[in-house]
Amino acid sequence: MSQQTSKEEFAYKLDRLRDAVDAELLLNLLGFKITHVNEKEVRAPCLIHGGANKTSFRMNKETKRWVCFSQHCHEDIGFGVIDLVKHMLNMTFMEAVKYLESITGVDVHDESNYIEYKRHKDRQEIIKQADNRKIPPALTDETYLKSFRKFRSDYFEREKNGGFSTDILDFFEVGGGYVDKFGFQRDVIPIRDKGGRLLAYSCRDITDKADYGYKYLLTEGFDKDKVLYNLFRAKNHMGNSNTMIVVEGFKSVWNLYRAGYKNVVACMGSTITQGQQHLLYSTAFNVLTLFDPDEAGAKGTIRALDDMKGKINITPLFVPYAGKDPGDLTIDELRSIIGIIN
Ligand SMILES: [Zn+2]
C-alpha cells in the first residue's frame, strides 16, 4: 500500500469519526452549558474565552465545525472538532482522536468497526427522529441489541447498591450506549416475552442527571400488562413445587438470581396486573411475592393477595430491613427471607 493511499484512508477514517460524534453529547462532556439546539446547530456560551453571551459558541451538528462569534476563538484554535478537543482537554492530536473514539465507539484503526459505526449512526438517526421521552420501537431488534451490548457502561457494577458482576449483566443481556434526546447516556435492559421474543427495552440513565421519574425510559408502545420480566428463563427453574417468585424490578431479579433463585420474575412496577396474573396462573402452582418495603410495595402485595387468592397458592414474603429493596440485599439476607425452594 502506498503512503498516499494510507494517508487518504486515514483522512477517510477521521471523517467517519467526525460523523459519529454527537455534538450535544460532546459539548456536554466538555463542560459547555448548552442553551439552544436546533436542527442544524448547538449553541452555548463560549467556554474557551469564558464570555457571558449565551449563543456566542455554535457548533454545526453535521460537520462538527464550530465558531465563536464574540471573540473568534476558532481563529486561534482551529474550527475542527479535533482542534476543539485538543484545546479543551489539553491533548495531542492522537489523544484527541482516541478520546473521540471512546465516546463514539468508532475505532479509526480497526476497519471491522465500520459496521459498528454504521449501526451507531443508524441508531442515532432513529433516536433523533423520535419526538418524545420514549425509546423508539424501531430499535427493538436483535441486531441493535447486539450492538448495544458492546457499549454497556460499568454503571450497574459500580452503583452503590449494584455491584453486579459482568457475568450477571452479560447473562441478562444488559447493553448501553443509548443517548436520549437530552444527551443523557443510558444502559439498555432488554425485555422478552414468555417465548423469548424481544419486545422492548428499559433504558437506565447512568448520568444520574435525568429528571425525577425519567430514570428508566421504556420503548414507546410497550404494554407491560401481559409481560413478566425474565419469565422465559424462570419458567424452566420452578422445581417440583412449580414455584415462581415475583419481585418489582430488574435489579431484584438479578440479585435473586445471584443468590441462586432462578425462578424469579419482575412485574416492572408495584402491581401485578391482570394480564400478569393470568401469565402466572398458566405457568406456576405457587407464587411468592417479595416487593419493596415501602408503601407502594405494601399496597401491591395486598392487592396481589386480594386478586389472586383462591386462583393460585400465593404467599407474601417481606423484607424486614427498612430502606432496602430485594435488589439491595445480601445473599445471606435473601436466603434467610426466602429459604429453600424445592
Ligand atoms: Zn470564544
Side-chain angles (χ1 to χ4, degrees), residues 32 45-51 56-57 66-74 77:
F32 282 79
C46 179
L47 198 56
I48 299 158
H49 75 267
S56 64
F57 180 96
W66 62 277
V67 289
C68 163
F69 280 101
S70 317
Q71 298 288 322
H72 305 281
C73 294
H74 54 281
I77 293 163

PDB file of all heavy atoms in Angstrom, residues 32 45-51 56-57 66-74 77, ligand 1:
ATOM      1  N   PHE A  32     -19.570  22.435  28.308  1.00  0.00           N
ATOM      2  CA  PHE A  32     -20.351  23.563  27.787  1.00  0.00           C
ATOM      3  C   PHE A  32     -21.767  23.511  28.347  1.00  0.00           C
ATOM      4  O   PHE A  32     -22.335  22.425  28.500  1.00  0.00           O
ATOM      5  CB  PHE A  32     -20.422  23.505  26.249  1.00  0.00           C
ATOM      6  CG  PHE A  32     -19.180  23.976  25.568  1.00  0.00           C
ATOM      7  CD1 PHE A  32     -18.066  23.146  25.467  1.00  0.00           C
ATOM      8  CD2 PHE A  32     -19.110  25.254  25.025  1.00  0.00           C
ATOM      9  CE1 PHE A  32     -16.904  23.574  24.841  1.00  0.00           C
ATOM     10  CE2 PHE A  32     -17.947  25.692  24.390  1.00  0.00           C
ATOM     11  CZ  PHE A  32     -16.841  24.852  24.298  1.00  0.00           C
ATOM     12  N   PRO A  45     -22.734  29.418  25.648  1.00  0.00           N
ATOM     13  CA  PRO A  45     -21.705  30.425  25.923  1.00  0.00           C
ATOM     14  C   PRO A  45     -20.339  29.827  25.574  1.00  0.00           C
ATOM     15  O   PRO A  45     -20.141  28.630  25.750  1.00  0.00           O
ATOM     16  CB  PRO A  45     -21.818  30.660  27.432  1.00  0.00           C
ATOM     17  CG  PRO A  45     -23.142  30.101  27.829  1.00  0.00           C
ATOM     18  CD  PRO A  45     -23.444  28.997  26.867  1.00  0.00           C
ATOM     19  N   CYS A  46     -19.425  30.632  25.076  1.00  0.00           N
ATOM     20  CA  CYS A  46     -18.109  30.099  24.697  1.00  0.00           C
ATOM     21  C   CYS A  46     -17.271  29.861  25.948  1.00  0.00           C
ATOM     22  O   CYS A  46     -16.935  30.788  26.666  1.00  0.00           O
ATOM     23  CB  CYS A  46     -17.387  31.058  23.749  1.00  0.00           C
ATOM     24  SG  CYS A  46     -15.745  30.436  23.305  1.00  0.00           S
ATOM     25  N   LEU A  47     -16.967  28.582  26.161  1.00  0.00           N
ATOM     26  CA  LEU A  47     -16.205  28.191  27.349  1.00  0.00           C
ATOM     27  C   LEU A  47     -14.717  28.496  27.176  1.00  0.00           C
ATOM     28  O   LEU A  47     -13.955  28.529  28.141  1.00  0.00           O
ATOM     29  CB  LEU A  47     -16.412  26.688  27.568  1.00  0.00           C
ATOM     30  CG  LEU A  47     -16.088  26.076  28.927  1.00  0.00           C
ATOM     31  CD1 LEU A  47     -16.850  26.779  30.035  1.00  0.00           C
ATOM     32  CD2 LEU A  47     -16.433  24.590  28.915  1.00  0.00           C
ATOM     33  N   ILE A  48     -14.320  28.739  25.937  1.00  0.00           N
ATOM     34  CA  ILE A  48     -12.899  28.962  25.666  1.00  0.00           C
ATOM     35  C   ILE A  48     -12.457  30.326  26.197  1.00  0.00           C
ATOM     36  O   ILE A  48     -11.480  30.421  26.931  1.00  0.00           O
ATOM     37  CB  ILE A  48     -12.613  28.827  24.156  1.00  0.00           C
ATOM     38  CG1 ILE A  48     -12.977  27.408  23.691  1.00  0.00           C
ATOM     39  CG2 ILE A  48     -11.158  29.140  23.844  1.00  0.00           C
ATOM     40  CD1 ILE A  48     -13.235  27.295  22.219  1.00  0.00           C
ATOM     41  N   HIS A  49     -13.218  31.367  25.847  1.00  0.00           N
ATOM     42  CA  HIS A  49     -12.849  32.678  26.392  1.00  0.00           C
ATOM     43  C   HIS A  49     -13.693  33.046  27.613  1.00  0.00           C
ATOM     44  O   HIS A  49     -13.451  34.058  28.260  1.00  0.00           O
ATOM     45  CB  HIS A  49     -12.929  33.761  25.304  1.00  0.00           C
ATOM     46  CG  HIS A  49     -14.328  34.170  24.941  1.00  0.00           C
ATOM     47  ND1 HIS A  49     -15.011  33.583  23.909  1.00  0.00           N
ATOM     48  CD2 HIS A  49     -15.157  35.092  25.482  1.00  0.00           C
ATOM     49  CE1 HIS A  49     -16.216  34.144  23.811  1.00  0.00           C
ATOM     50  NE2 HIS A  49     -16.333  35.063  24.761  1.00  0.00           N
ATOM     51  N   GLY A  50     -14.696  32.205  27.906  1.00  0.00           N
ATOM     52  CA  GLY A  50     -15.462  32.399  29.135  1.00  0.00           C
ATOM     53  C   GLY A  50     -16.461  33.539  29.098  1.00  0.00           C
ATOM     54  O   GLY A  50     -16.811  34.076  30.135  1.00  0.00           O
ATOM     55  N   GLY A  51     -16.917  33.912  27.912  1.00  0.00           N
ATOM     56  CA  GLY A  51     -17.862  35.023  27.791  1.00  0.00           C
ATOM     57  C   GLY A  51     -19.262  34.672  28.268  1.00  0.00           C
ATOM     58  O   GLY A  51     -19.604  33.504  28.426  1.00  0.00           O
ATOM     59  N   SER A  56     -22.777  32.643  21.818  1.00  0.00           N
ATOM     60  CA  SER A  56     -21.587  33.021  21.046  1.00  0.00           C
ATOM     61  C   SER A  56     -20.898  31.806  20.432  1.00  0.00           C
ATOM     62  O   SER A  56     -20.303  31.886  19.375  1.00  0.00           O
ATOM     63  CB  SER A  56     -20.608  33.805  21.915  1.00  0.00           C
ATOM     64  OG  SER A  56     -20.145  32.989  22.953  1.00  0.00           O
ATOM     65  N   PHE A  57     -21.006  30.666  21.105  1.00  0.00           N
ATOM     66  CA  PHE A  57     -20.378  29.448  20.587  1.00  0.00           C
ATOM     67  C   PHE A  57     -21.414  28.638  19.812  1.00  0.00           C
ATOM     68  O   PHE A  57     -22.492  28.352  20.323  1.00  0.00           O
ATOM     69  CB  PHE A  57     -19.825  28.610  21.738  1.00  0.00           C
ATOM     70  CG  PHE A  57     -19.160  27.338  21.293  1.00  0.00           C
ATOM     71  CD1 PHE A  57     -17.782  27.278  21.128  1.00  0.00           C
ATOM     72  CD2 PHE A  57     -19.910  26.191  21.036  1.00  0.00           C
ATOM     73  CE1 PHE A  57     -17.165  26.101  20.719  1.00  0.00           C
ATOM     74  CE2 PHE A  57     -19.305  25.013  20.616  1.00  0.00           C
ATOM     75  CZ  PHE A  57     -17.926  24.976  20.467  1.00  0.00           C
ATOM     76  N   TRP A  66     -17.081  24.511  14.408  1.00  0.00           N
ATOM     77  CA  TRP A  66     -17.605  25.443  15.401  1.00  0.00           C
ATOM     78  C   TRP A  66     -17.023  26.833  15.179  1.00  0.00           C
ATOM     79  O   TRP A  66     -15.965  26.983  14.567  1.00  0.00           O
ATOM     80  CB  TRP A  66     -17.274  24.959  16.807  1.00  0.00           C
ATOM     81  CG  TRP A  66     -15.798  24.875  17.072  1.00  0.00           C
ATOM     82  CD1 TRP A  66     -14.979  23.834  16.741  1.00  0.00           C
ATOM     83  CD2 TRP A  66     -14.974  25.879  17.666  1.00  0.00           C
ATOM     84  NE1 TRP A  66     -13.693  24.118  17.099  1.00  0.00           N
ATOM     85  CE2 TRP A  66     -13.659  25.370  17.684  1.00  0.00           C
ATOM     86  CE3 TRP A  66     -15.211  27.141  18.205  1.00  0.00           C
ATOM     87  CZ2 TRP A  66     -12.583  26.082  18.207  1.00  0.00           C
ATOM     88  CZ3 TRP A  66     -14.139  27.855  18.742  1.00  0.00           C
ATOM     89  CH2 TRP A  66     -12.839  27.318  18.720  1.00  0.00           C
ATOM     90  N   VAL A  67     -17.730  27.839  15.669  1.00  0.00           N
ATOM     91  CA  VAL A  67     -17.220  29.210  15.652  1.00  0.00           C
ATOM     92  C   VAL A  67     -17.563  29.890  16.969  1.00  0.00           C
ATOM     93  O   VAL A  67     -18.513  29.501  17.648  1.00  0.00           O
ATOM     94  CB  VAL A  67     -17.832  30.063  14.500  1.00  0.00           C
ATOM     95  CG1 VAL A  67     -17.308  29.624  13.153  1.00  0.00           C
ATOM     96  CG2 VAL A  67     -19.340  30.021  14.539  1.00  0.00           C
ATOM     97  N   CYS A  68     -16.753  30.901  17.306  1.00  0.00           N
ATOM     98  CA  CYS A  68     -17.048  31.745  18.458  1.00  0.00           C
ATOM     99  C   CYS A  68     -17.298  33.154  17.908  1.00  0.00           C
ATOM    100  O   CYS A  68     -16.375  33.778  17.387  1.00  0.00           O
ATOM    101  CB  CYS A  68     -15.872  31.751  19.434  1.00  0.00           C
ATOM    102  SG  CYS A  68     -15.934  33.114  20.613  1.00  0.00           S
ATOM    103  N   PHE A  69     -18.556  33.591  17.990  1.00  0.00           N
ATOM    104  CA  PHE A  69     -18.918  34.857  17.374  1.00  0.00           C
ATOM    105  C   PHE A  69     -18.429  36.075  18.162  1.00  0.00           C
ATOM    106  O   PHE A  69     -18.265  37.146  17.592  1.00  0.00           O
ATOM    107  CB  PHE A  69     -20.444  34.937  17.178  1.00  0.00           C
ATOM    108  CG  PHE A  69     -20.903  34.195  15.966  1.00  0.00           C
ATOM    109  CD1 PHE A  69     -21.478  32.934  16.078  1.00  0.00           C
ATOM    110  CD2 PHE A  69     -20.732  34.737  14.696  1.00  0.00           C
ATOM    111  CE1 PHE A  69     -21.880  32.233  14.955  1.00  0.00           C
ATOM    112  CE2 PHE A  69     -21.138  34.042  13.560  1.00  0.00           C
ATOM    113  CZ  PHE A  69     -21.714  32.795  13.694  1.00  0.00           C
ATOM    114  N   SER A  70     -18.182  35.922  19.458  1.00  0.00           N
ATOM    115  CA  SER A  70     -17.764  37.085  20.254  1.00  0.00           C
ATOM    116  C   SER A  70     -16.270  37.378  20.117  1.00  0.00           C
ATOM    117  O   SER A  70     -15.870  38.487  19.817  1.00  0.00           O
ATOM    118  CB  SER A  70     -18.065  36.887  21.739  1.00  0.00           C
ATOM    119  OG  SER A  70     -19.318  36.325  21.930  1.00  0.00           O
ATOM    120  N   GLN A  71     -15.452  36.355  20.340  1.00  0.00           N
ATOM    121  CA  GLN A  71     -14.006  36.594  20.408  1.00  0.00           C
ATOM    122  C   GLN A  71     -13.230  35.886  19.296  1.00  0.00           C
ATOM    123  O   GLN A  71     -12.005  35.929  19.290  1.00  0.00           O
ATOM    124  CB  GLN A  71     -13.470  36.119  21.766  1.00  0.00           C
ATOM    125  CG  GLN A  71     -14.054  36.850  22.959  1.00  0.00           C
ATOM    126  CD  GLN A  71     -13.548  38.273  23.077  1.00  0.00           C
ATOM    127  OE1 GLN A  71     -12.379  38.544  22.801  1.00  0.00           O
ATOM    128  NE2 GLN A  71     -14.423  39.197  23.467  1.00  0.00           N
ATOM    129  N   HIS A  72     -13.962  35.224  18.411  1.00  0.00           N
ATOM    130  CA  HIS A  72     -13.328  34.497  17.297  1.00  0.00           C
ATOM    131  C   HIS A  72     -12.261  33.516  17.763  1.00  0.00           C
ATOM    132  O   HIS A  72     -11.180  33.444  17.194  1.00  0.00           O
ATOM    133  CB  HIS A  72     -12.734  35.500  16.292  1.00  0.00           C
ATOM    134  CG  HIS A  72     -13.759  36.487  15.818  1.00  0.00           C
ATOM    135  ND1 HIS A  72     -14.690  36.184  14.859  1.00  0.00           N
ATOM    136  CD2 HIS A  72     -14.033  37.752  16.225  1.00  0.00           C
ATOM    137  CE1 HIS A  72     -15.482  37.231  14.677  1.00  0.00           C
ATOM    138  NE2 HIS A  72     -15.121  38.206  15.494  1.00  0.00           N
ATOM    139  N   CYS A  73     -12.600  32.777  18.842  1.00  0.00           N
ATOM    140  CA  CYS A  73     -11.647  31.815  19.411  1.00  0.00           C
ATOM    141  C   CYS A  73     -11.192  30.784  18.377  1.00  0.00           C
ATOM    142  O   CYS A  73     -10.066  30.275  18.447  1.00  0.00           O
ATOM    143  CB  CYS A  73     -12.269  31.091  20.603  1.00  0.00           C
ATOM    144  SG  CYS A  73     -12.595  32.168  22.007  1.00  0.00           S
ATOM    145  N   HIS A  74     -12.044  30.483  17.411  1.00  0.00           N
ATOM    146  CA  HIS A  74     -11.705  29.468  16.403  1.00  0.00           C
ATOM    147  C   HIS A  74     -10.510  29.903  15.554  1.00  0.00           C
ATOM    148  O   HIS A  74      -9.820  29.069  14.998  1.00  0.00           O
ATOM    149  CB  HIS A  74     -12.924  29.190  15.512  1.00  0.00           C
ATOM    150  CG  HIS A  74     -13.497  30.418  14.882  1.00  0.00           C
ATOM    151  ND1 HIS A  74     -14.308  31.286  15.571  1.00  0.00           N
ATOM    152  CD2 HIS A  74     -13.345  30.940  13.649  1.00  0.00           C
ATOM    153  CE1 HIS A  74     -14.658  32.285  14.774  1.00  0.00           C
ATOM    154  NE2 HIS A  74     -14.073  32.103  13.606  1.00  0.00           N
ATOM    155  N   ILE A  77      -7.555  28.587  17.485  1.00  0.00           N
ATOM    156  CA  ILE A  77      -7.542  27.163  17.827  1.00  0.00           C
ATOM    157  C   ILE A  77      -7.757  26.269  16.617  1.00  0.00           C
ATOM    158  O   ILE A  77      -7.211  25.158  16.550  1.00  0.00           O
ATOM    159  CB  ILE A  77      -8.629  26.892  18.896  1.00  0.00           C
ATOM    160  CG1 ILE A  77      -8.245  27.590  20.208  1.00  0.00           C
ATOM    161  CG2 ILE A  77      -8.814  25.411  19.154  1.00  0.00           C
ATOM    162  CD1 ILE A  77      -9.390  27.748  21.164  1.00  0.00           C
TER     163      ILE A  77
HETATM  164 ZN    ZN B   1     -14.816  32.322  22.388  1.00  0.00          ZN
END
